[in-house]
C-alpha cells in the first residue's frame, strides 16, 4: 500500500513538473522568437522576409489553449473582435480590391494579444531570465564586434557567412557596414535579425534591469553592447527611458552625473575626431536627410499622407485598402518606408480603421499589470518597427500580456509603487510575485 501511494505521489509530482515545463516553454517562446530564432526561416518564406517566429508563436498559442495553459482575456478579446470587424468591414464596404492575405496576416499576428498564461508564472523569475538572456546576447555582440578585427567578418558573423540562404530571413540588413566604404560591420549579437533589433532588445533589458536590480555591471555591459551595434534606435529607447526611470526613483544625482558624463565624452570624442563617434553623429542627422533610412521610416510617411491621403476626405476616413502602401510609396515624391506601423495603418485603413486598431492595442496595454515604464518603452518599439515584423509583438507577448493578469485599477501597480531605491533581490522577488498574482 505504501509503495503504491508513494508511486502515485511521485507520478503526481512528475505530472506537475511536466506541466510547469510546458508552461515555461510556452511563455518563453515569444522572447526566444524575438532573439534566438529571429533570423531563421524555411523555404519559400525566407525569401519573402517571413521568419519562423510568427508560426512559432501561433503554435505556442494553440498548444497553450489546447493544453489549458492559456486562457482568453475576455475584454481584450472583445476589443480584438471590434477592431477586426472594423478593419474587415470597412474593406468590404469600400467595394474596392484589397489584399485579403495582408489583412488575414494582420488578424493572425494580433490574435495572441487576447491570451494570457494559466496559471500565471513567477513574473520576477521571468524578468530575471529575460535580462540574463539579453546579457548573453549582448556579450555575443561585444565578442562579435571585437573578433572581426582579428579573424575577419566571416567567423565573426557565422550565420550570415555560412548558413544556407534558404534557412535565413531575407529583406533585412543583418550585415551592415559601420559607414560607407568601411571594412567593419555593426554588431548584431550573432542571432539577432539586425543591429537595430539587437540594440532595442538590449535597451528593453536595460529598462527591466533598472526597474528591478539596478546592477551596474549588467547595465554597463548592456550599454557597451548597444554602442557597438551603432544603431540609433536602441540609443533612442535608452535616452527616453533611462531619465524617466531615474526620475521615478528620485535618483537625480545619477541622472545629473550621467548626463554630464555623456556630454563630456561626446565633446571629447568629437574634438579627437574618433571615427566610430563620427558614425553616430552622421546617423543623428538622418531624420532631416531626405535620402536616409531614418527619413524614410519616420518622416516620409507624412509626405505620403499629404500627397495622396489628405486631399481625399473619403480616403482620409477609410484609407486606400489593405496592402496598398507599397504600391503608393513607389509614386511618392520622397523616399518612404512602408513598414512603419503608424503610417501603414493610417494610409491603408484611414482614420477610422487606425483608431479601431490602436484602440485595441491601448486596451491590451491598459489591462496589463506590467510596470508602466516597461510598457512605455515597448510602445516605442512599435514606432521603430513594422506591423508584420514580429520583434515588438513578441516582446509584448512575453513581457507584458501573457505572464501578468489584468489590473483591476487599470494601471501598472508595480510602476505606481516603484521604490526610490532598488530593493534587495529577496524583497523584489516577493513584491513582483505579489503584483503578478
Amino acid at each position: 500500500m505504501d509503495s503504491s501511494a508513494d508511486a502515485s505521489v511521485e507520478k503526481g509530482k512528475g505530472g506537475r513538473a511536466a506541466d510547469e515545463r510546458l508552461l515555461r516553454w510556452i511563455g518563453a517562446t515569444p522572447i526566444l522568437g524575438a532573439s534566438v530564432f529571429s533570423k531563421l526561416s524555411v523555404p519559400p518564406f525566407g525569401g519573402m522576409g517571413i521568419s519562423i517566429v510568427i508560426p512559432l508563436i501561433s503554435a505556442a498559442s494553440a498548444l497553450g489553449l489546447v493544453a489549458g495553459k492559456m486562457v482568453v482575456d475576455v475584454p481584450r478579446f472583445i476589443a480584438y473582435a471590434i477592431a477586426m470587424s472594423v478593419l474587415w468591414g470597412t474593406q468590404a464596404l469600400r467595394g474596392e480590391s484589397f489584399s485579403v492575405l495582408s489583412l488575414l496576416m494582420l488578424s493572425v499576428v494580433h490574435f495572441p494579444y487576447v491570451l494570457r498564461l494559466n496559471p500565471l508564472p513567477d513574473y520576477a523569475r521571468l524578468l530575471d531570465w529575460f535580462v540574463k538572456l539579453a546579457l548573453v546576447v549582448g556579450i555575443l555582440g561585444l565578442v562579435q564586434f571585437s573578433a572581426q578585427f582579428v579573424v575577419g567578418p566571416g567567423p565573426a558573423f557565422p550565420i550570415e557567412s555560412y548558413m544556407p540562404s534558404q534557412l535565413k530571413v531575407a529583406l533585412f540588413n543583418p550585415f551592415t557596414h559601420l559607414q560607407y566604404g568601411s571594412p567593419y560591420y555593426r554588431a548584431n549579437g550573432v542571432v539577432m535579425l539586425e543591429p537595430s533589433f539587437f540594440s532595442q532588445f538590449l535597451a528593453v533589458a536595460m529598462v527591466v534591469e533598472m526597474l528591478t536590480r539596478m546592477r551596474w555591471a549588467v547595465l554597463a555591459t548592456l550599454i557597451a553592447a548597444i554602442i557597438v551595434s551603432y544603431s540609433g534606435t536602441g540609443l533612442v529607447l535608452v535616452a527616453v527611458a533611462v531619465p524617466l526611470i531615474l526620475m521615478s526613483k528620485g535618483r537625480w544625482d545619477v541622472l545629473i552625473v550621467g548626463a554630464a558624463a555623456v556630454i563630456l565624452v561626446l565633446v571629447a570624442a568629437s574634438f579627437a575626431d574618433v571615427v566610430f563617434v563620427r558614425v553616430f553623429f552622421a546617423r543623428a542627422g538622418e531624420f532631416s536627410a531626405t535620402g536616409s533610412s531614418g527619413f524614410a521610416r519616420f518622416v516620409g510617411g507624412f509626405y505620403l499622407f499629404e500627397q495622396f491621403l489628405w486631399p481625399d476626405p473619403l480616403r482620409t476616413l477609410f484609407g486606400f485598402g489593405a496592402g496598398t502602401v507599397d504600391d503608393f510609396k513607389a509614386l511618392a515624391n520622397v523616399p518612404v518606408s512602408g513598414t512603419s506601423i503608424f503610417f501603414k495603418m493610417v494610409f491603408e485603413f484611414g482614420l477610422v480603421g487606425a483608431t479601431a486598431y490602436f484602440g485595441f492595442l491601448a486596451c491590451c496595454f491598459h489591462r496589463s499589470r506590467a510596470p508602466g515604464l516597461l510598457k512605455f518603452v515597448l510602445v516605442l518599439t512599435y514606432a521603430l518597427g513594422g506591423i508584420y515584423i514580429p520583434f515588438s509583438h513578441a516582446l509584448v507577448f512575453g513581457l507584458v500580456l501573457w505572464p501578468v493578469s489584468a489590473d483591476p485599477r487599470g494601471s501598472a501597480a508595480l510602476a505606481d509603487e516603484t521604490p526610490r531605491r532598488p530593493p534587495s533581490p529577496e524583497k523584489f522577488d516577493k513584491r513582483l510575485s505579489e503584483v503578478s498574482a
Side-chain angles (χ1 to χ4, degrees), residues 374-421:
L374 176 58
K375 292 192 287 187
F376 173 69
V377 77
L378 288 177
V379 168
L380 293 181
T381 66
Y382 277 87
L384 299 171
I387 194 168
Y388 296 133
I389 298 174
F391 177 78
S392 299
H393 303 296
L395 288 183
V396 169
F397 300 153
L399 297 176
V400 169
L401 296 182
W402 287 11
V404 288
S405 64
D407 183 2
R409 299 178 305 166
S411 61
L414 179 64
D416 293 342
E417 302 170 18
T418 301
R420 289 187 176 274
R421 293 190 179 277

Side-chain angles (χ1 to χ4, degrees), residues 133-383:
L133 175 63
L135 197 57
V136 171
V137 175
I139 292 172
L140 283 175
L142 289 169
V143 172
Q144 177 187 53
F145 184 78
S146 304
Q148 66 177 324
F149 296 94
V150 179
V151 298
F157 294 80
I159 296 178
E160 289 76 14
S161 302
Y162 306 123
M163 179 174 283
S165 59
Q166 298 90 335
L167 302 179
K168 296 183 295 187
V169 180
L171 308 181
F172 289 88
N173 298 305
F175 217 26
T176 311
H177 291 277
L178 282 179
Q179 58 183 344
Y180 181 75
S182 172
Y184 304 116
Y185 297 86
R186 303 169 190 167
N188 60 29
V190 179
V191 296
M192 299 296 293
L193 190 58
E194 284 187 351
S196 61
F197 297 123
F198 172 58
S199 67
Q200 291 176 55
F201 189 76
L202 301 181
V204 174
M206 280 191 65
V207 170
V208 172
E209 179 65 22
M210 293 187 72
L211 289 172
T212 56
R213 312 288 197 193
M214 193 70 88
R215 293 168 293 186
W216 297 108
V218 172
L219 293 174
T221 303
L222 293 174
I223 194 63
I226 291 174
I227 290 172
V228 299
S229 74
Y230 287 89
S231 173
T233 54
L235 291 176
V236 166
L237 297 183
V238 171
V240 173
V242 169
L244 292 176
I245 295 172
L246 292 175
M247 286 188 287
S248 72
K249 292 178 176 290
R251 298 303 303 269
W252 297 97
D253 52 340
V254 178
L255 180 60
I256 293 171
V257 171
V262 169
I263 292 172
L264 287 174
V265 168
L266 291 178
V267 170
S270 63
F271 278 109
D273 195 30
V274 179
V275 62
F276 295 122
V277 176
R278 288 206 311 270
V279 175
F280 278 119
F281 283 123
R283 293 184 66 81
E286 284 192 353
F287 293 102
S288 59
T290 306
S292 68
S293 61
F295 182 93
R297 291 172 63 186
F298 306 117
V299 180
F302 293 108
Y303 288 89
L304 193 69
F305 293 166
E306 185 177 353
Q307 183 179 353
F308 296 108
L309 196 66
W310 303 146
D312 188 334
L314 192 62
R315 299 294 189 186
T316 300
L317 288 175
F318 303 109
F320 281 88
T324 57
V325 69
D326 289 334
D327 298 328
F328 281 88
K329 72 179 185 180
L331 305 174
N333 296 327
V334 298
V336 178
S337 171
T339 61
S340 168
I341 188 171
F342 173 75
F343 295 143
K344 182 177 179 66
M345 290 305 300
V346 173
F347 190 85
E348 295 186 354
F349 300 99
L351 296 180
V352 173
T355 299
Y357 173 77
F358 289 114
F360 160 64
L361 293 184
C363 173
C364 292
F365 278 88
H366 180 71
R367 287 188 53 77
S368 170
R369 297 184 73 182
L373 284 170
L374 176 58
K375 292 192 287 187
F376 173 69
V377 77
L378 288 177
V379 168
L380 293 181
T381 66
Y382 277 87

